[in-house]
Amino acid sequence: MWHRFLRWLRSAPITDPVDRRNAPVMQALLLCYGLLLPLNWAWRIIARGSLPTEGRMIILLMDVAIIALAWISIVMIRRGRFKPAIVLFLAPQLISLAIVFFQFGTQPGVIDPAPTILPLVIGGLVLGRTALWTVFGLLMLVFGIGFATEIRDAGGTTEAIRKALVNVPAVLISHLLITAVLDRTIQALRESLGESIAHSRALQHEMAVRERAQAQLIHSQKMEATGRLASGIAHDFNNILGIILGFASQRHQSGTATVSRAAALEESLEGVEIAARRGSAISRKLLRFGRHDVSSIEVFDAGNAIHELKPMLRQMFDADIGLEILVEPQALPVRLDRSQFELMILNIAANARDAMHQGGDFSIEVGRLQEQRGEMVRIGLSDTGHGMTEEVLHRAFDPFYSTKPADSGTGLGLSVVRDLVENAGGRIETNSRLGIGTTFAILLPLAPSGPPADAASGNK
């Protein structure tokens, strides 16, 4: 119940950050005035057994006005009009004080200073420095009315005036000191809050810039990987076009019968369709991988995704490099952006290709791994290339670090892979030996659910 009440107090539609922080306290104060002030008067009337005297009836009427304005101010705050609501509440407070001092002098304010201090605090905290000193000036005017009343009631003699004005220095100095302290404190708080808000905005801007730079870097890596695939894709499309042309040329062959000619033509068209579908699939895969879209997190089967990536991997490697993919038959769901997942695999495969100038083998093994923090999907990518030294292995994931010629890479591939893996809640491990090869192990958290895995088996 209490937490719901606090959430209600904080839910006022106020845009200014300072006013939004002050709104809950001011609403609580207004509720106290709107609820407790009527109860206070009801208790007085019951305890005395009669209505207030004529002198106090004016105070009762003023309190009734304050109660009504307190509720009106609450409604205004709930509609986002915070400062006008506070001004509407402070004005009758000062008027009520002026009426009380006009009737009874300054003694009520000296005995109970809360009614005079509270407008100063509210005015300074909520409305700022100008309002604070304005309220101070109005309070001094109200005290002036009270002192004039005391002089009038004392008979106007010099001794009476002296006694009536004995509290003037104390009232002036105390309220001036309180106002000055409030002024400095409130100003410091507002400056501190302003600096905090400015730092927060600067941090948000910096984070947005970094996110845009990261997205551009990932896209550039996609384009680099796409460029590496270009020659293999062109070769594959040339083979597809050769198949289509071969089937198309069969239309010139004459058959002995119309039925056999129709059957041959149907067979040729079927072959053309299969080849065209293969070319279309490669085009869609390449276009989807290279697009510059906002990250789309999804749950997919890592084994199926790697099998679907096999044609692109095959085109990346030369004919003297063998490719083997081994995937466990059970589902291996992971949760991340699929194009980024493909970028990780292609980046590591491209490094493996560059490490096997004299041919070799590249293998991918995908399976589950049980760890202390839960089940993981392990993707092992191994090559039989020249391997890495300890120094190169230690700096392999450093941005812009590369052992390749200046025109052969940016040095950002493995750095991007590490960032993508860690953003997905996983990690990447490396093992390499000179002259034997390198293995990268990508470990990603097993997603709660995912698409069913297709039966898969490794093949060369």
Side-chain angles (χ1 to χ4, degrees), residues 375-388:
E375 277 194 298
M376 308 287 285
V377 174
R378 183 186 184 277
I379 305 169
L381 304 103
S382 304
D383 65 67
T384 57
H386 51 65
M388 293 183 282

Side-chain angles (χ1 to χ4, degrees), residues 324 326 362-367 378-382 439-442:
E324 183 178 27
L326 299 172
F362 181 74
S363 62
I364 302 178
E365 296 185 15
V366 189
R378 183 186 184 277
I379 305 169
L381 304 103
S382 304
T439 297
F440 288 92
I442 297 174

Side-chain angles (χ1 to χ4, degrees), residues 117-185:
I117 300 300
L118 192 59
L120 282 173
V121 175
I122 295 175
L125 284 175
V126 177
L127 303 179
R129 299 180 66 192
T130 302
L132 173 64
W133 289 103
T134 301
V135 172
F136 170 77
L138 292 174
L139 279 176
M140 293 302 100
L141 179 61
V142 168
F143 271 105
I145 294 172
F147 288 127
T149 299
E150 291 176 354
I151 293 172
R152 181 198 64 196
D153 294 342
T157 64
T158 304
E159 182 66 19
I161 294 174
R162 186 182 65 79
K163 290 183 178 179
L165 299 180
V166 70
N167 291 324
V168 170
V171 169
L172 178 61
I173 293 172
S174 62
H175 283 78
L176 182 61
L177 288 175
I178 292 171
T179 304
V181 171
L182 283 173
D183 182 28
R184 289 291 82 207
T185 304

